[in-house]
Amino acid sequence: LQTTPMKNGTSPSDFILLGLLVDSRVTGIVFTVIFAIFVVAVTANLVMIFLIQVDSRLHTPMYFLLSQLSIMDTLFICTTVPKLLVDMVSKEKTISFVACGIQIFLYLTMIGSEFFLLGLMAYDRYVAVCNPLRYPVLMNRRVCLLLAAGAWFGGSLDGFLLTPITMNVPYCGSRSINHFFCEIPAVLKLACADTSLYETLMYICCVLMLLIPISIISTSYSLILLTVHRMRSAEGRKKAFTTCSSHLTVVSIFYGAAFYTYVLPRSFHTPEQDKVVSAFYTIVTPMLNPLIYSLRNKDVTGAFKKIFVRCSAAQKVATAGA
């Protein structure tokens, strides 16, 4: 690919992101909504990370894994939304060849890591409910660190495998990507070579990326349901369902959208539908995850209230001293 600059400041290797293709009359409203979601998502995830770090009651394996999820969600939404917001208010909607590759790598790494982490979080819930006495041993700090590292490694492996292949495919003719970020299926439509073999391999890779965590999740929750069914205590059942329901909600939302995008054949969806689904799990899901876990979790809300009371007391002391 040539990289000689053109008169308009772009190069022949630059891509053009067509964006969400919303009606120009409602661009301002859509921009405001997406910006608000972005701010809420980043703030909620950072608050979640902060609370887990400062409150000793949250220094448990479940919350350690949850802090990793918040880190992934923060990086995930920052990979796509800032560029989308800039494109919505600017005439130039180009993205350089290198920037497109970086976006693909980060996107694949974050989504792959989150796939694996959600599976590991289901295993954590299985151990907590089915083997509570052995939980401190089976989920000690070393194991938690290894599980988190494994999730990050699995996601980055996906990025390292697929990104170089995608960016080495010859692209010619139209440089307009019918999407709001460099998602592989949308980018490959611009290829001027036969990519059917690569797309088949990518399909198999994505199915495996989904199948492994889903198998862990299905097995874990099947065993959890059996254990809960045998419980005599109604309070024990309620606690088990409460601790698992938030995770199941997040899993259903995230995997449902991913299954639609990467597993269903193309004949079942259009580029416009793809953009809507992609917007949902790249923009909305990172906001929903911390809200689902915080609003439905007494420990997290308790930690937040504790920090809020401390800050209010400190502010009163400072005001009185002044």
Side-chain angles (χ1 to χ4, degrees):
L1 289 173
Q2 296 177 350
T3 56
T4 305
M6 299 174 72
K7 291 181 180 180
N8 60 1
T10 64
S11 74
S13 62
D14 287 346
F15 292 110
I16 299 171
L17 294 169
L18 297 182
L20 286 172
L21 294 180
V22 296
D23 191 325
S24 58
R25 291 171 294 183
V26 296
T27 300
I29 298 173
V30 175
F31 176 90
T32 304
V33 171
I34 293 175
F35 179 74
I37 291 173
F38 176 73
V39 172
V40 170
V42 172
T43 303
N45 279 294
L46 291 179
V47 168
M48 183 71 77
I49 295 167
F50 174 74
L51 290 176
I52 292 171
Q53 287 294 319
V54 300
D55 196 311
S56 58
R57 293 177 300 176
L58 303 183
H59 292 173
T60 63
M62 182 180 80
Y63 292 110
F64 170 75
L65 295 176
L66 184 54
S67 70
Q68 297 300 304
L69 181 65
S70 289
I71 293 171
M72 291 174 187
D73 279 336
T74 303
L75 295 174
F76 193 25
I77 198 169
C78 288
T79 299
T80 57
V81 173
K83 174 61 178 170
L84 170 61
L85 292 173
V86 170
D87 287 346
M88 290 183 75
V89 295
S90 64
K91 293 181 180 179
E92 292 292 331
K93 304 180 188 298
T94 58
I95 182 169
S96 70
F97 187 80
V98 173
C100 187
I102 293 172
Q103 194 175 60
I104 289 174
F105 173 76
L106 292 175
Y107 165 78
L108 289 174
T109 299
M110 291 308 113
I111 196 172
S113 299
E114 196 154 333
F115 281 158
F116 288 120
L117 186 69
L118 289 173
L120 296 173
M121 289 174 75
Y123 170 74
D124 170 73
R125 293 300 82 212
Y126 155 72
V127 178
V129 175
C130 301
N131 294 284
L133 297 178
R134 298 183 63 196
Y135 185 71
V137 177
L138 295 175
M139 292 297 294
N140 60 51
R141 181 171 179 78
R142 182 172 176 272
V143 171
C144 289
L145 290 172
L146 287 173
L147 291 177
W152 282 101
F153 175 77
S156 61
L157 186 64
D158 191 36
F160 279 118
L161 284 174
L162 297 181
T163 304
I165 300 175
T166 303
M167 302 316 290
N168 278 306
V169 170
Y171 296 99
C172 52
S174 174
R175 313 295 294 183
S176 300
I177 301 173
N178 190 13
H179 216 302
F180 62 90
F181 72 101
C182 289
E183 192 169 28
I184 291 180
V187 174
L188 287 179
K189 290 179 180 178
L190 306 182
C192 53
D194 183 16
T195 60
S196 56
L197 177 60
Y198 172 48
E199 290 184 56
T200 301
L201 293 173
M202 185 178 66
Y203 176 81
I204 295 171
C205 179
C206 291
V207 168
L208 289 174
M209 290 282 288
L210 284 167
L211 191 60
I212 294 172
I214 286 177
S215 298
I216 297 172
I217 292 168
S218 302
T219 304
S220 297
Y221 279 105
S222 296
L223 294 171
I224 287 171
L225 286 174
L226 286 173
T227 303
V228 170
H229 179 69
R230 293 170 186 162
M231 285 182 180
R232 296 180 181 179
S233 168
E235 185 65 28
R237 289 186 180 184
K238 183 180 178 181
K239 186 177 180 181
F241 276 121
T242 301
T243 192
C244 296
S245 59
S246 297
H247 183 252
L248 278 175
T249 303
V250 171
V251 165
S252 301
I253 293 171
F254 194 72
Y255 280 90
F259 182 87
Y260 173 89
T261 303
Y262 291 101
V263 177
L264 282 183
R266 285 187 180 181
S267 57
F268 284 84
H269 43 94
T270 64
E272 287 69 30
Q273 291 171 335
D274 286 344
K275 283 188 281 188
V276 171
V277 174
S278 293
F280 182 77
Y281 73 82
T282 59
I283 301 173
V284 180
T285 304
M287 177 190 71
L288 291 178
N289 287 352
L291 295 181
I292 289 171
Y293 277 107
S294 61
L295 295 175
R296 302 186 56 148
N297 191 300
K298 292 181 181 179
D299 292 335
V300 175
T301 53
F304 182 78
K305 289 176 183 177
K306 186 178 177 182
I307 294 295
F308 182 77
V309 169
R310 281 184 183 177
C311 292
S312 298
Q315 188 175 10
K316 287 180 181 178
V317 171
T319 304

